[in-house]
Amino acid sequence: MQINSAEFVVSNSDVSKCPKSKLPEYAFIGRSNVGKSSLINMLTKRKSLAKTSGRPGKTQLINHFLINKNWHLVDLPGYGYARVSKKAKKTFQKFITDYFLNRPQLVCAFVLVDARHEPQKIDLEFMQWLGEKGLPFGIIFTKADKLKPKVLENNIEQYAAKLLETWEEVPPHFITSSSKELGRDEVLNYIEEINTSLE
Ligand code: GDP
């Protein structure tokens, strides 16, 4: 898929205020600092469509972007940021949960995980929850450039093995690096395939 246009539409903290259009949408979510903003900018080839976070945990909003005038890319807040209060975490959880449970336009969520780290409980639990709710998702491994090829391969294998403890098959997954523009075509083509299947 070529990106011909990418426009910011709206930010909000309430799913009922999200765009009313029926366009298919793809949500990007992951732990703070996982490289989500960099990935969104890499995918859309825009330098600062999504704001890279100097201060993790600050972008606590649902951000809609209109891509090629025919689908929405949704930038969701990073989760698992230790420095927000318990109350803030709860509120946050609720509005993200509301988004996932009340957004029929959502066709696929991409859960971002840092390719360098071992499977993290918070990510695995989140994927489990998506599965229980019947929400399709894919996994995007980020920052692949930070690892030697062998180590990267090994990490992905270990991650897959961990997932197979609870899942019958490994969900669709993509290895990316925003600095090296790795995985761009794979992610965009996957989105395009789904869009085409919906037409
Ligand atoms: P976010 O908080 O998930 O939106 O993460 P950011 O996109 O702001 O990235 C967090 C940090 O990781 C920044 O310092 C980025 O420069 C760095 N980063 C993000 N993606 C990559 C990548 O693919 N490769 C490398 N080497 N660094 C990255």
mmCIF file of all heavy atoms in Angstrom, residues 15-16 18-26 64 98-108 135-136 198:
data_model
loop_
_atom_site.group_PDB
_atom_site.id
_atom_site.type_symbol
_atom_site.label_atom_id
_atom_site.label_comp_id
_atom_site.label_asym_id
_atom_site.label_seq_id
_atom_site.Cartn_x
_atom_site.Cartn_y
_atom_site.Cartn_z
ATOM 1 N N VAL A 15 -14.889 7.384 23.873
ATOM 2 C CA VAL A 15 -15.148 6.634 22.636
ATOM 3 C C VAL A 15 -16.397 7.142 21.908
ATOM 4 O O VAL A 15 -16.460 7.119 20.677
ATOM 5 C CB VAL A 15 -15.229 5.110 22.906
ATOM 6 C CG1 VAL A 15 -16.401 4.746 23.768
ATOM 7 C CG2 VAL A 15 -15.264 4.321 21.608
ATOM 8 N N SER A 16 -17.348 7.674 22.657
ATOM 9 C CA SER A 16 -18.578 8.131 22.012
ATOM 10 C C SER A 16 -18.334 9.367 21.142
ATOM 11 O O SER A 16 -19.159 9.741 20.335
ATOM 12 C CB SER A 16 -19.665 8.413 23.058
ATOM 13 O OG SER A 16 -19.291 9.534 23.812
ATOM 14 N N CYS A 18 -15.573 9.644 19.239
ATOM 15 C CA CYS A 18 -14.705 9.265 18.120
ATOM 16 C C CYS A 18 -15.468 9.469 16.806
ATOM 17 O O CYS A 18 -16.698 9.511 16.812
ATOM 18 C CB CYS A 18 -14.280 7.802 18.261
ATOM 19 S SG CYS A 18 -13.047 7.558 19.558
ATOM 20 N N PRO A 19 -14.751 9.584 15.679
ATOM 21 C CA PRO A 19 -15.432 9.851 14.413
ATOM 22 C C PRO A 19 -16.575 8.872 14.139
ATOM 23 O O PRO A 19 -16.457 7.678 14.419
ATOM 24 C CB PRO A 19 -14.314 9.673 13.380
ATOM 25 C CG PRO A 19 -13.066 9.971 14.128
ATOM 26 C CD PRO A 19 -13.304 9.524 15.535
ATOM 27 N N LYS A 20 -17.656 9.419 13.620
ATOM 28 C CA LYS A 20 -18.853 8.592 13.385
ATOM 29 C C LYS A 20 -18.717 7.752 12.114
ATOM 30 O O LYS A 20 -19.493 6.835 11.893
ATOM 31 C CB LYS A 20 -20.093 9.493 13.254
ATOM 32 C CG LYS A 20 -20.397 10.318 14.491
ATOM 33 C CD LYS A 20 -21.281 9.553 15.486
ATOM 34 C CE LYS A 20 -21.554 10.337 16.745
ATOM 35 N NZ LYS A 20 -20.484 10.250 17.761
ATOM 36 N N SER A 21 -17.778 8.100 11.265
ATOM 37 C CA SER A 21 -17.669 7.415 9.973
ATOM 38 C C SER A 21 -17.502 5.911 10.153
ATOM 39 O O SER A 21 -17.037 5.435 11.193
ATOM 40 C CB SER A 21 -16.488 7.978 9.179
ATOM 41 O OG SER A 21 -15.366 7.161 9.363
ATOM 42 N N LYS A 22 -17.867 5.176 9.115
ATOM 43 C CA LYS A 22 -17.820 3.709 9.208
ATOM 44 C C LYS A 22 -16.503 3.133 8.670
ATOM 45 O O LYS A 22 -16.375 1.924 8.490
ATOM 46 C CB LYS A 22 -18.983 3.105 8.407
ATOM 47 C CG LYS A 22 -20.374 3.500 8.865
ATOM 48 C CD LYS A 22 -20.986 2.383 9.720
ATOM 49 C CE LYS A 22 -22.405 2.648 10.174
ATOM 50 N NZ LYS A 22 -22.608 3.905 10.896
ATOM 51 N N LEU A 23 -15.556 3.986 8.415
ATOM 52 C CA LEU A 23 -14.286 3.513 7.847
ATOM 53 C C LEU A 23 -13.626 2.492 8.783
ATOM 54 O O LEU A 23 -13.685 2.640 10.010
ATOM 55 C CB LEU A 23 -13.329 4.690 7.631
ATOM 56 C CG LEU A 23 -13.736 5.706 6.567
ATOM 57 C CD1 LEU A 23 -12.728 6.855 6.513
ATOM 58 C CD2 LEU A 23 -13.868 5.045 5.193
ATOM 59 N N PRO A 24 -12.980 1.483 8.188
ATOM 60 C CA PRO A 24 -12.305 0.500 9.039
ATOM 61 C C PRO A 24 -11.170 1.164 9.803
ATOM 62 O O PRO A 24 -10.516 2.082 9.283
ATOM 63 C CB PRO A 24 -11.739 -0.517 8.043
ATOM 64 C CG PRO A 24 -11.728 0.158 6.723
ATOM 65 C CD PRO A 24 -12.800 1.212 6.756
ATOM 66 N N GLU A 25 -10.946 0.703 11.021
ATOM 67 C CA GLU A 25 -9.830 1.316 11.748
ATOM 68 C C GLU A 25 -8.913 0.304 12.410
ATOM 69 O O GLU A 25 -9.308 -0.807 12.762
ATOM 70 C CB GLU A 25 -10.312 2.416 12.677
ATOM 71 C CG GLU A 25 -10.917 2.063 13.971
ATOM 72 C CD GLU A 25 -11.516 3.344 14.608
ATOM 73 O OE1 GLU A 25 -11.993 4.256 13.899
ATOM 74 O OE2 GLU A 25 -11.490 3.419 15.841
ATOM 75 N N TYR A 26 -7.667 0.724 12.555
ATOM 76 C CA TYR A 26 -6.571 -0.104 13.055
ATOM 77 C C TYR A 26 -5.943 0.642 14.218
ATOM 78 O O TYR A 26 -5.500 1.778 14.060
ATOM 79 C CB TYR A 26 -5.533 -0.332 11.936
ATOM 80 C CG TYR A 26 -6.139 -1.074 10.774
ATOM 81 C CD1 TYR A 26 -6.868 -0.405 9.794
ATOM 82 C CD2 TYR A 26 -6.047 -2.458 10.685
ATOM 83 C CE1 TYR A 26 -7.481 -1.084 8.748
ATOM 84 C CE2 TYR A 26 -6.651 -3.156 9.647
ATOM 85 C CZ TYR A 26 -7.374 -2.461 8.685
ATOM 86 O OH TYR A 26 -7.986 -3.148 7.660
ATOM 87 N N HIS A 64 -7.164 9.887 16.298
ATOM 88 C CA HIS A 64 -7.553 9.345 14.985
ATOM 89 C C HIS A 64 -6.812 10.053 13.852
ATOM 90 O O HIS A 64 -6.771 11.284 13.806
ATOM 91 C CB HIS A 64 -9.059 9.525 14.762
ATOM 92 C CG HIS A 64 -9.868 8.406 15.329
ATOM 93 N ND1 HIS A 64 -10.085 8.272 16.668
ATOM 94 C CD2 HIS A 64 -10.478 7.353 14.719
ATOM 95 C CE1 HIS A 64 -10.820 7.171 16.867
ATOM 96 N NE2 HIS A 64 -11.067 6.602 15.702
ATOM 97 N N ASP A 98 -13.363 0.788 27.140
ATOM 98 C CA ASP A 98 -14.559 1.296 26.441
ATOM 99 C C ASP A 98 -14.311 1.385 24.940
ATOM 100 O O ASP A 98 -15.166 1.039 24.146
ATOM 101 C CB ASP A 98 -14.925 2.699 26.937
ATOM 102 C CG ASP A 98 -15.649 2.650 28.254
ATOM 103 O OD1 ASP A 98 -15.995 1.534 28.688
ATOM 104 O OD2 ASP A 98 -15.862 3.722 28.851
ATOM 105 N N TYR A 99 -13.140 1.874 24.604
ATOM 106 C CA TYR A 99 -12.831 2.006 23.179
ATOM 107 C C TYR A 99 -12.902 0.631 22.504
ATOM 108 O O TYR A 99 -13.571 0.446 21.486
ATOM 109 C CB TYR A 99 -11.445 2.638 22.977
ATOM 110 C CG TYR A 99 -10.975 2.515 21.545
ATOM 111 C CD1 TYR A 99 -11.431 3.395 20.573
ATOM 112 C CD2 TYR A 99 -10.125 1.474 21.150
ATOM 113 C CE1 TYR A 99 -11.050 3.248 19.239
ATOM 114 C CE2 TYR A 99 -9.742 1.320 19.833
ATOM 115 C CZ TYR A 99 -10.203 2.209 18.888
ATOM 116 O OH TYR A 99 -9.840 2.046 17.576
ATOM 117 N N PHE A 100 -12.227 -0.358 23.074
ATOM 118 C CA PHE A 100 -12.184 -1.678 22.434
ATOM 119 C C PHE A 100 -13.553 -2.350 22.389
ATOM 120 O O PHE A 100 -13.869 -3.058 21.442
ATOM 121 C CB PHE A 100 -11.172 -2.586 23.132
ATOM 122 C CG PHE A 100 -9.761 -2.312 22.696
ATOM 123 C CD1 PHE A 100 -8.901 -1.576 23.485
ATOM 124 C CD2 PHE A 100 -9.312 -2.776 21.465
ATOM 125 C CE1 PHE A 100 -7.600 -1.303 23.064
ATOM 126 C CE2 PHE A 100 -8.018 -2.505 21.033
ATOM 127 C CZ PHE A 100 -7.167 -1.768 21.838
ATOM 128 N N LEU A 101 -14.348 -2.114 23.427
ATOM 129 C CA LEU A 101 -15.631 -2.821 23.481
ATOM 130 C C LEU A 101 -16.751 -2.108 22.732
ATOM 131 O O LEU A 101 -17.784 -2.695 22.451
ATOM 132 C CB LEU A 101 -16.037 -3.037 24.946
ATOM 133 C CG LEU A 101 -15.076 -3.910 25.753
ATOM 134 C CD1 LEU A 101 -15.567 -4.060 27.187
ATOM 135 C CD2 LEU A 101 -14.892 -5.285 25.111
ATOM 136 N N ASN A 102 -16.532 -0.847 22.412
ATOM 137 C CA ASN A 102 -17.619 -0.066 21.802
ATOM 138 C C ASN A 102 -17.224 0.593 20.501
ATOM 139 O O ASN A 102 -17.658 1.698 20.188
ATOM 140 C CB ASN A 102 -18.092 1.019 22.789
ATOM 141 C CG ASN A 102 -18.622 0.412 24.060
ATOM 142 O OD1 ASN A 102 -19.601 -0.327 24.026
ATOM 143 N ND2 ASN A 102 -17.951 0.682 25.162
ATOM 144 N N ARG A 103 -16.379 -0.066 19.758
ATOM 145 C CA ARG A 103 -15.919 0.545 18.516
ATOM 146 C C ARG A 103 -15.995 -0.487 17.392
ATOM 147 O O ARG A 103 -14.972 -1.140 17.060
ATOM 148 C CB ARG A 103 -14.483 1.052 18.724
ATOM 149 C CG ARG A 103 -13.971 1.994 17.664
ATOM 150 C CD ARG A 103 -14.689 3.313 17.626
ATOM 151 N NE ARG A 103 -14.212 4.116 16.503
ATOM 152 C CZ ARG A 103 -14.882 5.095 15.935
ATOM 153 N NH1 ARG A 103 -16.071 5.429 16.385
ATOM 154 N NH2 ARG A 103 -14.383 5.746 14.910
ATOM 155 N N PRO A 104 -17.183 -0.680 16.828
ATOM 156 C CA PRO A 104 -17.337 -1.708 15.789
ATOM 157 C C PRO A 104 -16.462 -1.467 14.563
ATOM 158 O O PRO A 104 -16.150 -2.409 13.826
ATOM 159 C CB PRO A 104 -18.830 -1.637 15.423
ATOM 160 C CG PRO A 104 -19.363 -0.400 16.045
ATOM 161 C CD PRO A 104 -18.444 -0.002 17.154
ATOM 162 N N GLN A 105 -16.035 -0.229 14.360
ATOM 163 C CA GLN A 105 -15.164 0.075 13.213
ATOM 164 C C GLN A 105 -13.778 -0.565 13.353
ATOM 165 O O GLN A 105 -13.050 -0.708 12.379
ATOM 166 C CB GLN A 105 -14.949 1.598 13.089
ATOM 167 C CG GLN A 105 -16.170 2.386 12.698
ATOM 168 C CD GLN A 105 -16.927 2.889 13.918
ATOM 169 O OE1 GLN A 105 -16.944 2.249 14.972
ATOM 170 N NE2 GLN A 105 -17.566 4.030 13.783
ATOM 171 N N LEU A 106 -13.425 -0.907 14.589
ATOM 172 C CA LEU A 106 -12.090 -1.474 14.825
ATOM 173 C C LEU A 106 -12.002 -2.866 14.199
ATOM 174 O O LEU A 106 -12.715 -3.768 14.606
ATOM 175 C CB LEU A 106 -11.835 -1.567 16.331
ATOM 176 C CG LEU A 106 -10.504 -2.203 16.723
ATOM 177 C CD1 LEU A 106 -9.331 -1.308 16.372
ATOM 178 C CD2 LEU A 106 -10.478 -2.527 18.212
ATOM 179 N N VAL A 107 -11.122 -3.019 13.224
ATOM 180 C CA VAL A 107 -10.995 -4.346 12.603
ATOM 181 C C VAL A 107 -9.755 -5.093 13.078
ATOM 182 O O VAL A 107 -9.713 -6.311 13.041
ATOM 183 C CB VAL A 107 -11.040 -4.300 11.054
ATOM 184 C CG1 VAL A 107 -12.437 -3.940 10.580
ATOM 185 C CG2 VAL A 107 -10.026 -3.353 10.475
ATOM 186 N N CYS A 108 -8.763 -4.357 13.525
ATOM 187 C CA CYS A 108 -7.568 -5.036 14.018
ATOM 188 C C CYS A 108 -6.782 -4.111 14.942
ATOM 189 O O CYS A 108 -6.640 -2.924 14.668
ATOM 190 C CB CYS A 108 -6.706 -5.458 12.830
ATOM 191 S SG CYS A 108 -5.181 -6.296 13.292
ATOM 192 N N LEU A 135 -11.490 -9.917 19.841
ATOM 193 C CA LEU A 135 -10.973 -8.789 19.047
ATOM 194 C C LEU A 135 -9.683 -9.202 18.333
ATOM 195 O O LEU A 135 -8.708 -9.566 18.987
ATOM 196 C CB LEU A 135 -10.707 -7.588 19.964
ATOM 197 C CG LEU A 135 -11.949 -7.003 20.637
ATOM 198 C CD1 LEU A 135 -11.575 -6.133 21.820
ATOM 199 C CD2 LEU A 135 -12.770 -6.201 19.628
ATOM 200 N N PRO A 136 -9.691 -9.163 16.996
ATOM 201 C CA PRO A 136 -8.497 -9.583 16.251
ATOM 202 C C PRO A 136 -7.312 -8.654 16.514
ATOM 203 O O PRO A 136 -7.479 -7.444 16.630
ATOM 204 C CB PRO A 136 -8.919 -9.459 14.779
ATOM 205 C CG PRO A 136 -10.398 -9.305 14.773
ATOM 206 C CD PRO A 136 -10.765 -8.715 16.095
ATOM 207 N N LEU A 198 -12.809 -6.416 3.140
ATOM 208 C CA LEU A 198 -14.021 -5.805 3.697
ATOM 209 C C LEU A 198 -14.882 -5.122 2.643
ATOM 210 O O LEU A 198 -16.040 -4.796 2.880
ATOM 211 C CB LEU A 198 -13.653 -4.752 4.767
ATOM 212 C CG LEU A 198 -12.939 -5.240 6.013
ATOM 213 C CD1 LEU A 198 -12.442 -4.056 6.843
ATOM 214 C CD2 LEU A 198 -13.862 -6.120 6.849
#
